[in-house]
Amino acid sequence: MRINIRYGKGFKSVDLSENTLVLKKPETRPIKDPFDEIKKSLQSPISSKPLIDIAKGKRSACVVVSDTTRPVPNAIILPPLIETLEQAGIRDEDITILIATGTHDPVPEHMFEELLGRDTLMHRIKIINHNAYDDSMIVDLGKGAYECPALINKIYAESDLKICTGLIEPHFMAGFSGGRKSICPGITGIETLKVFHSVDAMGHPLSKSCSLNGNPVDEMARSVAKIAGCDFMVNVSLDDQRRITGIFSGDLFKAHEAGCEFVSDHSIVVINKEADVVITSNGGYPLDQNYYQTAKGLVEASEIVKKDGFIIMASECKFGFGKPSFRNLMIELKEKGTKAFLDAHRTSQTFESDQWEVQEFTKVFEKTKNILLLSSLNKSDQELTFAKPIKSLNEGIKITTKLMKDPFIVAIPEGPYVVGRIKN
């Protein structure tokens, strides 16, 4: 049978045996009129007053949005939200859209329309990239769980009305994206991120997809978000065609919890045994825009592959390997090995901003080093991936079937948007 695996803005096909187990989300009906349903959610939110009632009398508003690494349908979410703020009496020039970059690079202005939608740009609204390294943009609001500093973007902290938007999906360390993550790590200072992305937090066994209870990463994010405050949240869930399947507006924590429950029911797929081969993707664009982000799909695949089994990964990496700092850390990992690398970055004094993503790669390598990668990376970048390059997914299948007799193959066309779990 032929399977289409997400790759960039399209797909790559692979021919697999009929015995292949294909993991897909349980079917969910997309919302027929998402524009109208977004409006209704602002009027009848979860555990909250309607947005217009909250906004009345406020002089300024800050709307936090995800950066270009998340396929959030901002073109649908933002216009009715901004219209509601205007109806409440907040002027366009007093509204700021704050892009939650965390430690990612800023979103260039030429990508604002792709990120936010043309209708959003028609308003006279300030659009600002958060900068975790700029102390002039940060205010200190105290400390959260695990002594995590609550260093928050100044514009957000000083706005009369604080709104967070985003996408709820499985997240390989925080359990789920969305909600509190818009604030922490989205708009925090680097000293916050040193604790949030620390070796100990990342290495905790409950810091994984669809895991919230006892997850220190979630606990830190929630505590910092509570200190920073949020007046209203609008999050959505998506299906495999990026259509909206759920809208969760209202209280930052209650609405997010409802969304996480919904996404969990529609993302986790239980299988009977580990796979000899997992063929997967990094979810396509924008998540597979570089190798840095590819850790997400690899981590999820490693959860269901046998020790020293094979992972065949399709990740376009249109924008290359990742930031120079990430490249340098991967070189360091290659030179030192996992234990020495993690020991070298265990304290806040030795912390480097992209070390946590490298640590996620080490989790994969502990399970297997047999990784076959289909990408557009150049040769020098490819040499730092810890993976063997392939020219097609069918080439990857041929390699594995030559080495193993009748392997049990699991295919995950959507990559990290589907979470496999082994039946107890």
Side-chain angles (χ1 to χ4, degrees), residues 9 15-16 26 71 79 108 128 173 212 227 314 321 331 366 373 384 399:
K9 293 186 178 180
D15 297 311
L16 299 168
I128 296 174
M173 63 175 186
L212 293 177
I227 293 169
F321 195 73
I331 292 172
E366 286 173 7
L373 176 66
L384 296 176
I399 290 171

Side-chain angles (χ1 to χ4, degrees), residues 52 55-59 83-92 94:
I52 193 165
K56 284 178 180 176
K58 300 292 195 297
R59 294 170 298 171
E83 181 183 336
T84 301
L85 300 185
E86 292 171 337
Q87 290 171 353
I90 302 176
R91 301 178 302 174
D92 281 359
D94 294 323

Side-chain angles (χ1 to χ4, degrees), residues 16 61 162 421:
L16 299 168
K162 302 173 178 67
R421 289 281 187 266

Side-chain angles (χ1 to χ4, degrees), residues 119-399:
D119 288 347
T120 303
L121 298 186
M122 291 174 64
H123 296 268
R124 296 170 298 170
I125 293 173
K126 295 185 290 293
I127 303 168
I128 296 174
N129 280 287
H130 171 67
N131 185 346
Y133 306 94
D134 183 354
D135 289 342
S136 68
M137 289 187 73
I138 305 296
V139 293
D140 187 346
L141 300 182
K143 287 190 177 181
Y146 301 92
E147 293 295 297
C148 185
L151 303 175
I152 304 297
N153 182 280
K154 188 175 183 179
I155 295 170
Y156 180 85
E158 295 180 353
S159 291
D160 287 346
L161 181 64
K162 302 173 178 67
I163 299 172
C164 291
T165 65
L167 168 67
I168 302 176
E169 61 188 357
H171 190 277
F172 69 154
M173 63 175 186
F176 296 91
S177 65
R180 73 286 186 242
K181 274 191 90 263
S182 293
I183 299 170
C184 181
I187 57 168
T188 57
I190 186 61
E191 295 302 319
T192 300
L193 295 166
K194 286 180 179 181
V195 179
F196 183 79
H197 281 156
S198 68
V199 169
D200 290 340
M202 295 296 100
H204 195 282
L206 293 178
S207 298
K208 63 180 184 178
S209 285
C210 300
S211 168
L212 293 177
N213 292 334
N215 183 336
V217 177
D218 174 62
E219 289 172 2
M220 277 188 272
R222 286 175 62 90
S223 66
V224 171
K226 188 174 182 179
I227 293 169
C230 177
D231 298 297
F232 201 85
M233 177 193 101
V234 185
N235 278 192
V236 299
S237 59
L238 304 177
D239 66 6
D240 60 353
Q241 298 180 51
R242 307 283 169 83
R243 298 173 299 186
I244 295 176
T245 56
I247 300 169
F248 310 95
S249 298
D251 178 78
L252 180 68
F253 301 110
K254 296 295 184 182
H256 187 249
E257 287 168 9
C260 291
E261 186 175 343
F262 178 87
V263 170
S264 179
D265 290 342
H266 295 84
S267 297
I268 297 176
V269 181
V270 177
I271 63 177
N272 290 325
K273 62 179 182 177
E274 291 179 319
D276 297 304
V277 180
V278 177
I279 181 166
T280 188
S281 82
N282 208 50
Y285 185 84
L287 204 58
D288 75 348
Q289 60 185 276
N290 55 37
Y291 193 64
Y292 173 89
Q293 292 289 342
T294 305
K296 293 180 171 66
L298 287 172
V299 167
E300 293 305 334
S302 71
E303 289 282 334
I304 61 168
V305 75
K306 284 182 179 177
K307 178 70 174 173
D308 298 323
F310 279 83
I311 298 174
I312 303 173
M313 166 58 70
S315 183
E316 185 182 31
C317 304
K318 177 181 180 180
F319 299 130
F321 195 73
K323 293 189 295 183
S325 56
F326 170 64
R327 169 187 285 274
N328 293 336
L329 288 166
M330 289 294 275
I331 292 172
E332 183 185 344
L333 175 65
K334 216 172 185 68
E335 293 172 347
K336 291 182 175 179
T338 297
K339 185 179 185 305
F341 174 86
L342 295 179
D343 287 344
H345 295 281
R346 199 170 288 277
T347 70
S348 60
Q349 289 75 29
T350 58
F351 177 92
E352 294 189 43
S353 63
D354 293 319
Q355 70 177 54
W356 68 276
E357 196 80 343
V358 178
Q359 185 175 354
E360 292 297 325
F361 278 102
T362 68
K363 294 178 182 179
V364 180
F365 306 149
E366 286 173 7
K367 191 74 174 288
T368 182
K369 293 182 175 64
N370 297 321
I371 300 169
L372 308 177
L373 176 66
L374 174 65
S375 73
S376 63
L377 291 171
N378 60 41
K379 186 176 180 181
S380 63
D381 286 342
Q382 180 67 58
E383 289 174 352
L384 296 176
T385 63
F386 292 78
K388 175 183 172 60
I390 53 176
K391 295 181 179 179
S392 71
L393 294 177
N394 281 330
E395 179 189 348
I397 291 297
K398 286 180 182 178
I399 290 171

